[in-house]
Amino acid sequence: MAPANVDPDVVSDSSSSSDPLDTTNDEGWEDVEQDEEPITVVSLFDDKTFPDASSMLTYCRDSQNFDIWKLRQDLGLDFLGLIKLVNYVRSEVSAGNAHPTVSSKSVFDDDKYLKPVLEDDALLYSLDDVFLDDEAANSAPASEVDQLREQLATLQSQFAAYRDQVQSAMLDRLDVQEGNPESSSTARTTSRQGPADKDNTEEFDKDYFKSYSYNSIHESMIKDRVRTDAYRDFIYDHKDLFKDRVVLDVGCGTGILSMFCAKAGAKLVIAVDNSDIIDKAREHVYTNNLQDTVKCLRGKIEEVQLPVEKVDIIVSEWMGYCLLYESMLDSVLYARDRYLAPDGLMVPSHASLRIAPLADSEFKASHIDFWRDVYGFDMTPMLERAHEEVIVRVMDKNELATESVPFLELDLHNTKVADLTFTKPFAAKWKGGFKVLEGFVVWFDIIFATDRKQNVDAGMTATEAKKSGLVAFSTGPATEATHWQQGIFLIENPGKAEEFTEGDSIAGEITYLKKKGQERSLDIEISWSKASEKGRSKKQMWVLD
């Protein structure tokens, strides 16, 4: 998520060159927009076309007695009311009713009229120009224009998202006609990287946000009962924390957490996401009649302009595999530093990473040794990079040779981005019944505190937190499986040095590093040895991408 005020009418000099709507240096785009398919506004009542919305609506006022300026004032229409009015009139005229009734707001106050009747209706994203243009509104009293300006200012963020959506759809259509398979909406992603890293980082970000546009990933997350129930239970069981509060949902996805907060009594919920799923979130909000509380904004949290200065609560489901894969926590911490009130609450509030050795496992036999004899054939070349990648699977808790130990604890109210790249020690006592160290298993626990000053002991497990009355969950192998599963780090060619006996202490360090140009991926290095043989430690690097 990264910087740009999403006001569509103001584009800075520094960003204009990357604006897909800026055709100054692009002859191809100039040809498409100016020569082949100029944008025109179609009349509400006939087939006449106009070069702008103001002249079309003036025509409708003079020839059809349809005065949108007066209707807006008399009926008290907000921006969405105007959208519904336009689509209602187009729908009625299309059905043969040349004089649709507009005497009452209730006639067209149905969410079905949020759906455009006319494909690529330029009027819908030109309405702001109509009411911000004094000349076009010269038939309205000055006081009305002032009121419109004030009301439009409060709706600016919502309108920007809607306009961006309409423009994106029109650009995508042009792209298809020009043979360009890339979506214009994804092409708008910007970066704060230097020139050397910009292209790779933008491409990686584009793929990342595109991956969250598909139903399957959101289905797996919502169906993860451990995850979704924990958020729901915390929000619904602590409605006193949310009542009349302003909440920011970073990376809102389908909007499920935002709707939980709205149902819990929040005064305003601002739902932000940079993938196409934000369109579905917006539909979900309207379908469930929560549009007066939940406002959906498309963009990176570092770029969008919120309609408020501060929020009381930040809620986000930011966790990735091995906790920090995808680096979404960076954006959540940005949101905290920029928008959270001094006494505001992070939901969830605490996270911890845990590690345990894997020994004498069936997993190694099925994942590695399998290739040594496949229907009688030696297929060991398949193992060339098998030990370089983190494997995400559900592990058997009975194959862990020690109790798990924490190696990173985060209090989300105080954590810094720099804390997310680290080298941390760990040490554990070897249990009986295990011999050969074959790898390591990593997972995380999440805790929801009700107050930023609430005492959460360092290293506290989710189970311990629940016993103390807190909402919490674990992604470890001893609890119900989650969609995060566990990260498995298999050691290449375990040998004599990896043999332990009961009571031995195994100690080491684990390092998390972000990949340059692919900051959402991780390089993870683990070193280990018997505590009594520190000078003979071994280490290995794995990739999580």
Side-chain angles (χ1 to χ4, degrees):
M1 303 176 166
N5 185 322
V6 274
D7 186 343
D9 295 321
V10 182
V11 182
S12 68
D13 292 339
S14 61
S15 63
S16 62
S17 62
S18 62
D19 186 347
L21 298 180
D22 183 357
T23 63
T24 306
N25 299 315
D26 190 336
E27 294 182 1
W29 276 106
E30 269 189 298
D31 290 344
V32 171
E33 292 190 354
Q34 295 181 8
D35 298 332
E36 295 182 13
E37 193 173 331
I39 295 176
T40 55
V41 183
V42 180
S43 169
L44 291 170
F45 296 92
D46 51 42
D47 294 332
K48 290 183 180 295
T49 59
F50 298 82
D52 58 73
S54 294
S55 57
M56 185 277 285
L57 291 170
T58 300
Y59 163 78
C60 291
R61 181 190 63 193
D62 297 341
S63 64
Q64 301 292 334
N65 199 30
F66 178 81
D67 190 338
I68 195 169
W69 293 278
K70 188 173 187 301
L71 284 171
R72 188 189 192 287
Q73 185 178 30
D74 291 348
L75 301 180
L77 300 181
D78 59 10
F79 176 76
L80 291 178
L82 290 170
I83 293 292
K84 291 179 181 180
L85 173 61
V86 168
N87 288 321
Y88 161 73
V89 172
R90 289 203 188 279
S91 176
E92 289 294 299
V93 171
S94 177
N97 180 10
H99 302 286
T101 300
V102 291
S103 58
S104 170
K105 180 180 178 181
S106 61
V107 175
F108 52 87
D109 192 18
D110 190 313
D111 283 351
K112 70 180 182 180
Y113 293 121
L114 288 171
K115 182 177 180 180
V117 173
L118 185 65
E119 185 178 5
D120 298 339
D121 191 347
L123 174 60
L124 296 180
Y125 65 84
S126 299
L127 287 173
D128 69 324
D129 298 327
V130 174
F131 293 104
L132 286 176
D133 187 341
D134 287 335
E135 293 183 1
N138 59 8
S139 63
S143 60
E144 179 189 345
V145 175
D146 291 339
Q147 292 173 8
L148 291 174
R149 289 184 184 278
E150 181 179 351
Q151 292 170 356
L152 283 170
T154 64
L155 294 167
Q156 185 61 45
S157 295
Q158 186 175 20
F159 170 76
Y162 186 87
R163 178 170 180 167
D164 186 70
Q165 178 185 351
V166 175
Q167 289 176 326
S168 173
M170 296 183 70
L171 285 171
D172 287 344
R173 188 178 180 192
L174 290 174
D175 277 343
V176 171
Q177 292 173 350
E178 290 296 303
N180 178 10
E182 288 293 320
S183 167
S184 61
S185 61
T186 56
R188 278 192 290 274
T189 303
T190 59
S191 171
R192 291 182 290 180
Q193 302 288 327
D197 299 328
K198 183 176 180 180
D199 291 343
N200 287 341
T201 303
E202 286 187 351
E203 185 67 24
F204 197 74
D205 263 2
K206 182 176 72 173
D207 292 341
Y208 168 71
F209 288 114
K210 185 177 180 181
S211 72
Y212 278 89
S213 301
Y214 303 114
N215 278 18
S216 57
I217 191 168
H218 295 283
E219 180 182 355
S220 68
M221 289 190 290
I222 291 177
K223 285 184 174 179
D224 183 341
R225 192 175 62 83
V226 174
R227 161 211 184 258
T228 309
D229 283 6
Y231 279 89
R232 180 203 60 190
D233 291 349
F234 179 80
I235 294 169
Y236 283 1
D237 291 349
H238 300 92
K239 290 183 178 179
D240 57 307
L241 297 177
F242 290 84
K243 183 172 176 54
D244 297 329
R245 300 290 185 175
V246 177
V247 180
L248 171 60
D249 182 356
V250 181
C252 67
T254 59
I256 184 70
L257 302 186
S258 293
M259 292 189 289
F260 284 160
C261 295
K263 285 292 188 181
K267 177 173 63 177
L268 172 65
V269 182
I270 306 164
V272 180
D273 203 292
N274 194 41
S275 78
D276 290 342
I277 198 65
I278 192 68
D279 299 330
K280 293 299 181 186
R282 189 175 288 113
E283 289 184 41
H284 299 158
V285 168
Y286 286 113
T287 300
N288 290 278
N289 199 31
L290 295 171
Q291 64 271 19
D292 290 338
T293 303
V294 182
K295 308 302 179 185
C296 298
L297 300 180
R298 176 164 187 164
K300 298 180 179 181
I301 189 62
E302 295 91 342
E303 295 179 351
V304 298
Q305 182 174 346
L306 301 192
V308 296
E309 282 298 316
K310 294 294 179 182
V311 301
D312 302 301
I313 298 172
I314 292 179
V315 61
S316 180
E317 195 274 78
W318 51 265
M319 297 78 76
Y321 298 129
C322 296
L323 188 64
L324 299 181
Y325 174 66
E326 295 180 343
S327 290
M328 186 179 165
L329 181 53
D330 295 30
S331 296
V332 175
L333 297 182
Y334 172 90
R336 179 201 67 191
D337 294 341
R338 171 66 179 84
Y339 293 111
L340 189 63
D343 59 346
L345 181 66
M346 298 292 289
V347 178
S349 58
H350 294 76
S352 63
L353 272 163
R354 308 185 71 86
I355 188 170
L358 175 68
D360 306 328
S361 68
E362 290 295 325
F363 182 82
K364 176 180 176 295
S366 64
H367 191 77
I368 299 295
D369 297 342
F370 161 78
W371 295 107
R372 304 190 191 284
D373 183 357
V374 182
Y375 290 93
F377 297 100
D378 181 347
M379 298 181 68
T380 50
M382 292 295 295
L383 298 177
E384 183 179 357
R385 304 191 65 180
H387 298 88
E388 297 179 13
E389 299 174 347
V390 179
I391 303 164
V392 178
R393 296 285 192 280
V394 174
M395 199 61 240
D396 184 350
K397 65 179 181 179
N398 296 316
E399 295 185 343
L400 303 183
T402 77
E403 297 297 329
S404 70
V405 293
F407 62 89
L408 181 72
E409 288 119 13
L410 300 176
D411 177 345
L412 275 302
H413 295 106
N414 302 309
T415 298
K416 304 286 192 298
V417 171
D419 298 334
L420 310 183
T421 300
F422 59 85
T423 297
K424 297 288 186 181
F426 66 89
K429 191 76 69 176
W430 199 265
K431 296 191 293 189
F434 296 95
K435 182 179 180 181
V436 180
L437 172 67
E438 296 175 340
F440 298 90
V441 182
V442 169
W443 66 89
F444 60 87
D445 286 4
I446 296 294
I447 297 175
F448 297 75
T450 57
D451 188 292
R452 63 190 303 149
K453 296 179 181 178
Q454 190 169 3
N455 184 35
V456 176
D457 293 337
M460 177 184 284
T461 66
T463 301
E464 293 167 341
K466 288 181 179 180
K467 289 180 179 178
S468 68
L470 296 171
V471 175
F473 68 86
S474 175
T475 63
T479 59
E480 183 178 344
T482 70
H483 76 282
W484 288 288
Q485 306 177 77
Q486 294 95 48
I488 302 170
F489 300 72
L490 292 178
I491 295 171
E492 186 171 11
N493 301 322
K496 269 290 190 189
E498 280 71 52
E499 291 187 4
F500 290 77
T501 59
E502 183 176 1
D504 283 343
S505 292
I506 179 171
E509 292 182 333
I510 183 165
T511 298
Y512 271 44
L513 291 171
K514 295 179 182 179
K515 297 169 69 70
K516 186 174 178 58
Q518 297 183 16
E519 280 74 12
R520 298 190 186 279
S521 296
L522 286 173
D523 284 338
I524 301 176
E525 182 180 82
I526 303 176
S527 64
W528 68 92
S529 68
K530 292 179 183 178
S532 59
E533 301 176 354
K534 287 186 178 179
R536 298 170 57 186
S537 65
K538 298 178 67 175
K539 67 180 177 181
Q540 188 174 322
M541 178 78 76
W542 291 265
V543 176
L544 180 57
D545 59 18

